[in-house]
Amino acid sequence: MYNYLVKKLIRKSFGLVNERRFEELLKSAVPNVRHSFAGDHSLGGTRNDRAAFRAWLERLARVMPKLFIEVDQIIVHNWPGSTFAVVHWTATAILENGDPYLNKGVHFITLKWGKATSIDVYEDTLAVYNGLEKQYNAGIQEAKASQIVS
């Protein structure tokens, strides 16, 4: 039953990202949540608090406004005081130049009593980099901004 509830919470969280409802999403994270996103680009780096994570989510929405993430599989391990989840997903979008974007990746999420304490994201960093380059060339300047880190 617990695994079912965690999977439901995680699916809801990805839905909130797709709907750009970040304030609601951030309620499911501890104040000092650690969020890392692999890659040497404007979405890469590590954040160690909700404010920086919020800024990162807002940037994601601006640089990839048509991004949609579909959860493919969730694996949950352990119990409420220390839960580890692996989420396999597929991200798609239509870029500003009309090109399709496709990326597959995983989130490694650590939760404590239903709140995310750590989120590590691993994806095809070259796909992200190339997508951001196309967005920059289409006029989204922030696609080449410095990483948001804290």
Side-chain angles (χ1 to χ4, degrees), residues 20 23 35-36 49 51 57 69 83-84 93-94 98 102 106 121-127 133-134 136 139-140 144 149:
R20 312 304 189 254
E23 287 307 314
H35 174 262
S36 70
D49 58 77
L57 288 163
I69 305 169
T83 305
F84 183 71
I94 300 298
L102 173 68
V106 295
V121 185
Y122 298 96
E123 74 294 324
D124 181 343
T125 58
L126 184 57
E133 282 290 312
K134 290 178 181 183
Y136 178 81
I140 300 176
K144 277 199 175 185
V149 295

Side-chain angles (χ1 to χ4, degrees), residues 11 70-74 87-91 103-105:
R11 284 189 189 281
E70 181 177 345
V71 173
D72 300 318
Q73 183 178 15
I74 304 171
V87 184
H88 180 258
W89 48 261
T90 302
N103 203 341
K104 291 182 174 279

Side-chain angles (χ1 to χ4, degrees), residues 19-133:
E19 296 167 8
R20 312 304 189 254
R21 293 169 48 196
F22 303 136
E23 287 307 314
E24 189 174 342
L25 172 70
L26 290 166
K27 291 177 185 175
S28 66
V30 296
N32 63 336
V33 62
R34 184 181 157 284
H35 174 262
S36 70
F37 193 92
D40 187 17
H41 46 68
S42 66
L43 294 175
T46 301
R47 288 135 296 280
N48 290 292
D49 58 77
R50 254 194 246 161
F53 186 27
R54 176 185 296 107
W56 184 90
L57 288 163
E58 291 167 350
R59 172 176 287 173
L60 175 66
R62 289 188 299 269
V63 300
M64 295 295 252
K66 298 174 184 157
L67 184 72
F68 181 82
I69 305 169
E70 181 177 345
V71 173
D72 300 318
Q73 183 178 15
I74 304 171
I75 299 168
V76 177
H77 183 68
N78 287 350
W79 294 100
S82 178
T83 305
F84 183 71
V86 179
V87 184
H88 180 258
W89 48 261
T90 302
T92 56
I94 300 298
L95 301 174
E96 295 303 303
N97 68 0
D99 285 355
Y101 175 82
L102 173 68
N103 203 341
K104 291 182 174 279
V106 295
H107 274 57
F108 296 114
I109 304 171
T110 304
L111 301 107
K112 186 171 185 174
W113 302 108
K115 299 271 188 180
T117 60
S118 178
I119 305 165
D120 295 300
V121 185
Y122 298 96
E123 74 294 324
D124 181 343
T125 58
L126 184 57
V128 175
Y129 180 85
N130 289 337
L132 290 170
E133 282 290 312

